[in-house]
Amino acid sequence: PVWSPDGGKLAFQSNRGDHSFIGIFENPNKAITWLEPGYNRDFSPPWSPDGTQIAFVRMNGSGGQPDFILTRKHIPWSIYSGVVSTGKIKKLWTAPETPRGSIPSTQGGTNLQWAFNRIVFLSYHDGWPHLYSVNEFGSETILLTAGNFMCEFIKMSPDRKWIVASANTGNDPLDVDRRHIIKVPVDKASMQVMTPGSGLEWTPTITGDGLTIAYISASSHRP
């Protein structure tokens, strides 16, 4: 369950075995609002900042004929948004129909978050788990973290305007085997490496005033 920004409602995933719904609970005397339920698997519901919409990930329902466990095939997924007052939904983005465009299995999965005016997510479709953002109307998709590295442990700032993450990138070629903290705005590809050097930094979190990043750090000489 995820609280609405005003604390008055809860969005949640209702798992029905081979499919799942996104529901909105307000109080015991009001019927639950479902976001166009069907035979899909809907999950990961972040709220819009004004509390009027919810984004979520939609996959096909499970089941069907058994498949070979070693067969590599595309696992489709899309991002939708739904209006809280009506339950009506619209598609914002669909992953490319390639093996790399399948639902990501790295830390946090799609890492779906509703930023200040954009929806931020992680996708593997260019060969690396990268951060992207799309506007709330489903257009203008931006690759936020271009390069040969992966992003994980992703957190949004309290004002929803920038993201921090752990990534194996930097000015040193050996950074591919390290982790550093990066910072990037949600609306442009302007990434900064916040903790360069020969150490390892991961699992960042941001203080409530948005001024400080805390993280775990280690090196070959310091536990």
Side-chain angles (χ1 to χ4, degrees), residues 17 74 88 108 145 167-168 179 202:
H74 174 62
K88 297 296 183 181
T145 56
N168 56 326
R179 292 291 187 276
W202 69 98

Side-chain angles (χ1 to χ4, degrees), residues 18-216:
D18 58 359
H19 60 288
S20 56
F21 308 145
I22 299 297
I24 301 149
F25 172 82
E26 187 167 357
N27 61 64
N29 300 316
K30 185 174 180 179
I32 291 173
T33 300
W34 301 103
L35 300 184
E36 291 194 22
Y39 293 104
N40 306 289
R41 284 176 287 170
D42 298 342
F43 56 95
S44 297
W47 290 82
S48 63
D50 62 5
T52 63
Q53 298 184 74
I54 291 174
F56 62 94
V57 175
R58 170 165 285 186
M59 296 176 61
N60 295 334
S62 60
Q65 294 296 318
D67 203 349
F68 293 105
I69 192 170
L70 299 180
T71 300
R72 190 181 183 199
K73 62 179 182 178
H74 174 62
I75 304 174
W77 64 287
S78 300
I79 297 172
Y80 283 75
S81 67
V83 179
V84 173
S85 60
T86 64
K88 297 296 183 181
I89 68 172
K90 63 180 177 182
K91 185 186 293 186
L92 302 179
W93 184 85
T94 298
E97 295 182 9
T98 64
R100 287 178 173 178
S102 297
I103 189 86
S105 58
T106 49
Q107 192 275 332
T110 63
N111 286 275
L112 189 68
Q113 302 184 60
W114 199 308
F116 178 66
N117 57 358
R118 302 183 67 83
I119 290 91
V120 177
F121 61 96
L122 183 138
S123 178
Y124 209 136
H125 65 262
D126 71 350
W128 291 91
H130 279 156
L131 287 170
Y132 296 80
S133 73
V134 61
N135 68 27
E136 57 193 31
F137 305 106
S139 60
E140 194 193 358
T141 302
I142 300 173
L143 168 58
L144 300 175
T145 56
N148 295 332
F149 61 90
M150 67 179 295
C151 299
E152 55 187 356
F153 301 109
I154 294 153
K155 291 291 179 66
M156 185 176 293
S157 63
D159 62 7
R160 304 195 189 207
K161 293 184 178 180
W162 48 279
I163 294 281
V164 293
S166 180
N168 56 326
T169 187
N171 295 325
D172 190 332
L174 296 178
D175 284 330
V176 70
D177 293 318
R178 302 181 179 123
R179 292 291 187 276
H180 296 310
I181 305 303
I182 63 167
K183 175 184 175 182
V184 64
V186 300
D187 58 353
K188 59 182 176 180
S190 181
M191 186 186 76
Q192 297 175 264
V193 178
M194 305 295 291
T195 59
S198 60
L200 310 171
E201 300 87 32
W202 69 98
T203 58
T205 192
I206 307 166
T207 55
D209 57 10
L211 300 178
T212 305
I213 301 171
Y215 52 87
I216 299 175

